Amino acid sequence: MKNYDTKSIRNICLVGHGGSGKTSLTETMLFNSGVTTRIGKVNDGNTVSDYLQEEIQRHISISMSLIPIEHQGTKINILDTPGYSDFIGEVYSALRVVDTSVFIISGVDGLEVQAEIIWDLVEERKLPKVVFINKLDRENANADKVLDQLKAAYPNVRFVQVQIPVGKEASFSGVIDMFQADIPDAYQDDIAMLKETLAEAAAEADDDILMKYLDGETLNDDELKIILRQGLAGNMIVPVLFGSVEKNLGIKEFSQFIADNVPAPTPIEKKAALVFKTLADPYLGKMTFFKVYGGTFNSESVVYNPNREADEKLGQLFYLRGKNQDNIAAVQAGDIAVVAKLQDTKTGDTFCAKDKQITLDGIDFPKPSLSVAIKPKSKGDEDKLGSALARLVDEDPTISVTKNVETKQSILKGLGEMQLDIVGEKLSRKFGVAVEMEVPIVPYRETIKKMVQVEGKHKKQSGGHGQYGHVWIKMQPNPDKDFEFTEEVFGGAVPRNFFPAVEKGLREAITEGFLAGYPMTNVKFTLYDGSYHSVDSSEMAFKLAATIAFKKGAEMANTVLLEPVVEAEVSVPEASMGDVIGDLNTRRGKVLGMEPNGKYQVIRAHVPESEMMRYSIDLKAMTRGKGTFTTKFYAYEEVPARMTEALVAKIKKEHHHE
């Protein structure tokens, strides 16, 4: 593939709900441009875009793929993104580097949830938008109905139809373009109306055009074309196109529209590029996708990464088309390319010149919200699992791995069940580590509610030396400290040199707790009396005496179970508010308040962590995928008495099975 100058490059991403036809559109455009000799099918698992094993098996896109297409002297870089919510991180990456987003919407199903969610993301970024209504050859397809639905959903958006679909359903035969040379007589009036709508939309957005329009001047086609380009680039209008990817109708016109109207990248002065995706390829190793914002980047050169404060040696640069490489010597401003086997660079990092440093804005990814505990099936695979997970986190910033110190579990977090299933598959297939995933253990704790004074005596007499330790200990609730040990021993009843042994015995005893094997916290122990034997007393004997005292005391001191409570912020559409608040109440949540945030309401609540383990899945169901939430640790609170007995029995049973 030849090198294109910045003016001849178009960077677009295809977005929309799963199954709307994004990958198939890419496939058809490739065929039309002469790159492929047949059109691959998603269901046959032979498309250029979906080449990963997980994608072929499931017949869906999981990873964004880069597909450059040459169209009459223009290079169109297509980023084909997944339409399933678990993989929306890929959409965040794509939106960061493209100049225009193209929404693929089914002419049968209309505006679906994931498209709505992505629409809001695109609006936040003020990116130009194009709509392509697909599947117009299908039964029950209705272009007008979908257009009306879009206008109703986004009343402030100026949707401008630039084509007329010809025929309906099975008799759909293509499109008539607003600016094509030979418009059939039957469509002249309709096309005149479209031009009028474009002029009106532009007049609303541009004062100069408004003056012309009010003076009754008719805008000619050349002026309208300029208006269309400027209106799209300025995010003032959203052009709407039509077609059937499956029948290859309207696709050549779509490619022409992108080449003619989508804005070219605007280069910056300094040499700079942004890494927007990392892919761990089993053959090529780590592949780093980057977009050049300014200057030229050459193969076999050294660049500076300001995020890591390190030089990075670039090897052979290449364009990627699905999994096919096309080596290149240099990449111009505005273009997108790939380099393999970089050492330090991560997604979101900048490349620049060391003597003219610049750090481009990174990518804010959605925070993972579904947690599972993950462990290798084979005991000896812990290290292997650790390094494999580190590589997968590099590849996908929407997953994270942490170690829970209290429960000793490795916690893997992601955006949804399918994403975590695929992580499991990749670990097995790419890295040879079979894993088990389960709901994480909740790190409960225990504490006491009243003060008690208890005696602990350890006495053993066998031949030779015996063992003797004897203590009186006061145990009391201590809200301010996890553990405190003091002594008030008079007259040497317990010699000082045994105090550390008593403290050690108590410290070890509280880690095992009393009720259910969870650590006991917020207790003050005071050693105030006891006795000793000049020959038989030892540190071990006093340590055991302290343990005996603890067990007796815990039984008498009204020991209760504490559970971690999180502060949750749940963002939901207005229509789901009632359901979500009702559901939080059933989870023993305390709603603290709510405040509007754009089209959404943000609910703040304190909820027990144990009730939030599968919340990500339930919230999606309640809000048609539109709800999101974050949690942070708030405090430990007492488990209600009515629940404690059943919970303790359940925990003991689980521990017994282990």
Side-chain angles (χ1 to χ4, degrees), residues 244 363 608:
S244 158
I363 304 166

Side-chain angles (χ1 to χ4, degrees), residues 397-501:
T398 66
I399 57 175
S400 70
V401 181
T402 50
K403 188 86 176 166
N404 186 316
V405 184
E406 285 191 34
T407 64
K408 314 261 188 307
Q409 288 185 311
S410 291
I411 305 297
L412 170 68
K413 276 184 143 184
L415 297 176
E417 276 185 300
M418 193 193 295
Q419 183 191 29
L420 295 181
D421 286 348
I422 284 168
V423 168
E425 280 175 32
K426 281 184 183 173
L427 287 168
S428 168
R429 197 173 45 75
K430 273 188 177 181
F431 301 101
V433 187
V435 294
E436 289 173 358
M437 295 187 196
E438 57 197 18
V439 176
I441 295 170
V442 177
Y444 292 102
R445 290 181 184 173
E446 301 177 11
T447 194
I448 59 170
K449 299 282 284 192
K450 67 177 189 188
M451 191 200 63
V452 292
Q453 291 173 300
V454 282
E455 179 185 25
K457 186 183 268 190
H458 176 71
K459 185 178 180 186
K460 228 177 187 175
Q461 196 61 51
S462 55
H465 274 316
Q467 292 177 29
Y468 185 88
H470 175 216
V471 293
W472 277 94
I473 289 172
K474 182 163 68 175
M475 287 170 66
Q476 65 201 95
N478 188 22
D480 300 330
K481 280 190 178 170
D482 281 350
F483 174 91
E484 192 177 352
F485 174 76
T486 59
E487 53 77 26
E488 295 169 0
V489 177
F490 293 105
V494 176
R496 298 194 73 79
N497 57 322
F498 294 130
F499 293 173

Side-chain angles (χ1 to χ4, degrees), residues 18-31:
S20 56
K22 300 176 292 296
T23 299
S24 303
L25 172 59
T26 308
E27 198 63 26
T28 308
M29 289 172 75
L30 275 170
F31 174 78

Side-chain angles (χ1 to χ4, degrees), residues 425-595:
E425 280 175 32
K426 281 184 183 173
L427 287 168
S428 168
R429 197 173 45 75
K430 273 188 177 181
F431 301 101
V433 187
V435 294
E436 289 173 358
M437 295 187 196
E438 57 197 18
V439 176
I441 295 170
V442 177
Y444 292 102
R445 290 181 184 173
E446 301 177 11
T447 194
I448 59 170
K449 299 282 284 192
K450 67 177 189 188
M451 191 200 63
V452 292
Q453 291 173 300
V454 282
E455 179 185 25
K457 186 183 268 190
H458 176 71
K459 185 178 180 186
K460 228 177 187 175
Q461 196 61 51
S462 55
H465 274 316
Q467 292 177 29
Y468 185 88
H470 175 216
V471 293
W472 277 94
I473 289 172
K474 182 163 68 175
M475 287 170 66
Q476 65 201 95
N478 188 22
D480 300 330
K481 280 190 178 170
D482 281 350
F483 174 91
E484 192 177 352
F485 174 76
T486 59
E487 53 77 26
E488 295 169 0
V489 177
F490 293 105
V494 176
R496 298 194 73 79
N497 57 322
F498 294 130
F499 293 173
V502 174
E503 181 175 351
K504 193 175 180 200
L506 294 170
R507 274 192 188 275
E508 284 179 13
I510 66 165
T511 61
E512 294 298 316
F514 166 73
L515 273 182
Y518 285 98
M520 187 175 279
T521 183
N522 304 113
V523 185
K524 179 178 179 180
F525 297 95
T526 307
L527 171 65
Y528 66 91
D529 203 359
S531 62
Y532 74 105
H533 188 283
S534 58
V535 177
D536 291 349
S537 285
S538 65
E539 287 188 2
M540 180 52 80
F542 271 98
K543 189 177 151 190
L544 289 167
T547 308
I548 291 162
F550 170 79
K551 285 183 175 152
K552 273 191 194 169
E555 203 160 345
M556 296 154 53
N558 190 7
T559 299
V560 292
L561 206 55
L562 300 174
E563 62 183 346
V565 173
V566 295
E567 184 166 310
E569 283 201 352
V570 191
S571 175
V572 297
E574 192 91 46
S576 309
M577 281 272 288
D579 289 348
V580 172
I581 288 173
D583 175 74
L584 285 170
N585 288 332
T586 67
R587 293 172 192 269
R588 300 188 285 125
K590 296 186 194 88
V591 175
L592 307 171
M594 51 208 107
E595 54 195 53

Side-chain angles (χ1 to χ4, degrees), residues 515-516 646-658:
L515 273 182
L647 186 57
V648 168
K650 178 171 170 269
I651 292 165
K652 282 185 171 167
K653 189 177 165 193
E654 283 168 6
H655 284 195
H656 177 69
H657 283 311
E658 282 172 23

Side-chain angles (χ1 to χ4, degrees), residues 9-68:
I9 294 170
R10 308 285 178 266
N11 294 319
I12 65 170
C13 65
L14 305 184
V15 295
H17 199 79
S20 56
K22 300 176 292 296
T23 299
S24 303
L25 172 59
T26 308
E27 198 63 26
T28 308
M29 289 172 75
L30 275 170
F31 174 78
N32 290 347
S33 71
V35 172
T36 54
T37 51
R38 56 156 183 78
I39 298 178
K41 295 271 188 284
V42 172
N43 284 342
D44 297 344
N46 60 2
T47 63
V48 175
S49 233
D50 288 356
Y51 61 91
L52 299 176
Q53 196 60 44
E54 301 82 29
E55 296 177 315
I56 292 166
Q57 278 170 355
R58 286 182 170 77
H59 302 164
I60 61 166
S61 300
I62 286 164
S63 176
M64 159 182 56
S65 41
L66 167 62
I67 310 285

